[in-house]
Amino acid sequence: MRSNPAYKEYSDKQVECLADVEIKYATPEAIEQVLQGKTPAGSGWKDGVDGKAVTSALAACKDPIVPSPTG
């Protein structure tokens, strides 16, 4: 995720939080596809995942966006 320009303004803590959400809710196949720079087929989420829970967890990682001191 750190190499993705979309996350360049995110702090290390925010990137870790987003990665934790992906690990918790995404399928292993989807994670592998993302690591390969591909877009996951389908939703990429594990069966039975509540979309509201994912949205809430992702939102908790994003705000406030604080630039990382390490770049």
Side-chain angles (χ1 to χ4, degrees):
M1 292 178 88
R2 183 47 75 197
S3 63
N4 185 329
Y7 301 109
K8 72 177 186 171
E9 296 297 322
Y10 285 54
S11 70
D12 289 341
K13 184 175 180 181
Q14 288 171 306
V15 172
E16 284 180 33
C17 181
L18 292 170
D20 288 344
V21 171
E22 292 289 330
I23 290 168
K24 181 175 181 178
Y25 294 110
T27 64
E29 296 82 11
I31 293 170
E32 184 62 33
Q33 290 169 339
V34 169
L35 291 174
Q36 294 174 5
K38 299 175 184 175
T39 301
S43 73
W45 303 118
K46 294 175 183 171
D47 289 338
V49 168
D50 177 5
K52 290 179 183 179
V54 174
T55 300
S56 178
L58 291 171
C61 295
K62 293 180 183 179
D63 294 317
I65 294 176
V66 178
S68 170
T70 59

PDB file of all heavy atoms in Angstrom, residues 27 30 33 39-45:
ATOM      1  N   THR A  27     -10.665 -11.381   1.126  1.00  0.00           N
ATOM      2  CA  THR A  27     -10.277 -12.777   0.906  1.00  0.00           C
ATOM      3  C   THR A  27      -8.772 -12.832   0.662  1.00  0.00           C
ATOM      4  O   THR A  27      -8.179 -11.861   0.178  1.00  0.00           O
ATOM      5  CB  THR A  27     -10.990 -13.375  -0.319  1.00  0.00           C
ATOM      6  OG1 THR A  27     -10.565 -12.682  -1.496  1.00  0.00           O
ATOM      7  CG2 THR A  27     -12.505 -13.330  -0.178  1.00  0.00           C
ATOM      8  N   ALA A  30      -8.016 -11.943  -2.898  1.00  0.00           N
ATOM      9  CA  ALA A  30      -8.092 -10.515  -3.198  1.00  0.00           C
ATOM     10  C   ALA A  30      -6.835  -9.799  -2.718  1.00  0.00           C
ATOM     11  O   ALA A  30      -6.298  -8.933  -3.410  1.00  0.00           O
ATOM     12  CB  ALA A  30      -9.338  -9.894  -2.556  1.00  0.00           C
ATOM     13  N   GLN A  33      -4.085 -10.537  -5.142  1.00  0.00           N
ATOM     14  CA  GLN A  33      -4.263  -9.782  -6.379  1.00  0.00           C
ATOM     15  C   GLN A  33      -3.835  -8.327  -6.202  1.00  0.00           C
ATOM     16  O   GLN A  33      -3.188  -7.756  -7.079  1.00  0.00           O
ATOM     17  CB  GLN A  33      -5.710  -9.874  -6.851  1.00  0.00           C
ATOM     18  CG  GLN A  33      -6.067 -11.253  -7.355  1.00  0.00           C
ATOM     19  CD  GLN A  33      -7.555 -11.444  -7.581  1.00  0.00           C
ATOM     20  OE1 GLN A  33      -8.381 -10.722  -7.019  1.00  0.00           O
ATOM     21  NE2 GLN A  33      -7.901 -12.424  -8.395  1.00  0.00           N
ATOM     22  N   THR A  39      -6.643  -5.650  -9.846  1.00  0.00           N
ATOM     23  CA  THR A  39      -7.913  -5.367  -9.188  1.00  0.00           C
ATOM     24  C   THR A  39      -8.582  -6.699  -8.865  1.00  0.00           C
ATOM     25  O   THR A  39      -8.719  -7.538  -9.757  1.00  0.00           O
ATOM     26  CB  THR A  39      -8.828  -4.545 -10.108  1.00  0.00           C
ATOM     27  OG1 THR A  39      -8.157  -3.318 -10.433  1.00  0.00           O
ATOM     28  CG2 THR A  39     -10.154  -4.236  -9.441  1.00  0.00           C
ATOM     29  N   PRO A  40      -8.983  -6.904  -7.614  1.00  0.00           N
ATOM     30  CA  PRO A  40      -9.620  -8.174  -7.253  1.00  0.00           C
ATOM     31  C   PRO A  40     -10.903  -8.420  -8.040  1.00  0.00           C
ATOM     32  O   PRO A  40     -11.648  -7.480  -8.325  1.00  0.00           O
ATOM     33  CB  PRO A  40      -9.935  -8.016  -5.768  1.00  0.00           C
ATOM     34  CG  PRO A  40      -9.038  -6.937  -5.294  1.00  0.00           C
ATOM     35  CD  PRO A  40      -8.826  -6.031  -6.463  1.00  0.00           C
ATOM     36  N   ALA A  41     -11.121  -9.672  -8.379  1.00  0.00           N
ATOM     37  CA  ALA A  41     -12.367 -10.062  -9.034  1.00  0.00           C
ATOM     38  C   ALA A  41     -13.496  -9.983  -8.021  1.00  0.00           C
ATOM     39  O   ALA A  41     -13.316 -10.293  -6.846  1.00  0.00           O
ATOM     40  CB  ALA A  41     -12.237 -11.467  -9.583  1.00  0.00           C
ATOM     41  N   GLY A  42     -14.662  -9.575  -8.445  1.00  0.00           N
ATOM     42  CA  GLY A  42     -15.792  -9.462  -7.534  1.00  0.00           C
ATOM     43  C   GLY A  42     -15.554  -8.386  -6.496  1.00  0.00           C
ATOM     44  O   GLY A  42     -14.799  -7.443  -6.710  1.00  0.00           O
ATOM     45  N   SER A  43     -16.164  -8.553  -5.348  1.00  0.00           N
ATOM     46  CA  SER A  43     -16.023  -7.543  -4.298  1.00  0.00           C
ATOM     47  C   SER A  43     -14.681  -7.641  -3.590  1.00  0.00           C
ATOM     48  O   SER A  43     -14.157  -6.658  -3.083  1.00  0.00           O
ATOM     49  CB  SER A  43     -17.142  -7.673  -3.265  1.00  0.00           C
ATOM     50  OG  SER A  43     -16.940  -8.820  -2.447  1.00  0.00           O
ATOM     51  N   GLY A  44     -14.137  -8.856  -3.521  1.00  0.00           N
ATOM     52  CA  GLY A  44     -12.887  -9.059  -2.808  1.00  0.00           C
ATOM     53  C   GLY A  44     -13.067  -9.292  -1.316  1.00  0.00           C
ATOM     54  O   GLY A  44     -12.113  -9.600  -0.613  1.00  0.00           O
ATOM     55  N   TRP A  45     -14.293  -9.141  -0.834  1.00  0.00           N
ATOM     56  CA  TRP A  45     -14.553  -9.305   0.588  1.00  0.00           C
ATOM     57  C   TRP A  45     -14.945 -10.742   0.893  1.00  0.00           C
ATOM     58  O   TRP A  45     -15.531 -11.425   0.071  1.00  0.00           O
ATOM     59  CB  TRP A  45     -15.642  -8.350   1.055  1.00  0.00           C
ATOM     60  CG  TRP A  45     -15.324  -6.918   0.789  1.00  0.00           C
ATOM     61  CD1 TRP A  45     -16.027  -6.075  -0.005  1.00  0.00           C
ATOM     62  CD2 TRP A  45     -14.222  -6.163   1.287  1.00  0.00           C
ATOM     63  NE1 TRP A  45     -15.437  -4.838  -0.029  1.00  0.00           N
ATOM     64  CE2 TRP A  45     -14.323  -4.859   0.752  1.00  0.00           C
ATOM     65  CE3 TRP A  45     -13.148  -6.446   2.124  1.00  0.00           C
ATOM     66  CZ2 TRP A  45     -13.403  -3.858   1.039  1.00  0.00           C
ATOM     67  CZ3 TRP A  45     -12.233  -5.438   2.394  1.00  0.00           C
ATOM     68  CH2 TRP A  45     -12.360  -4.164   1.871  1.00  0.00           C
TER      69      TRP A  45
END
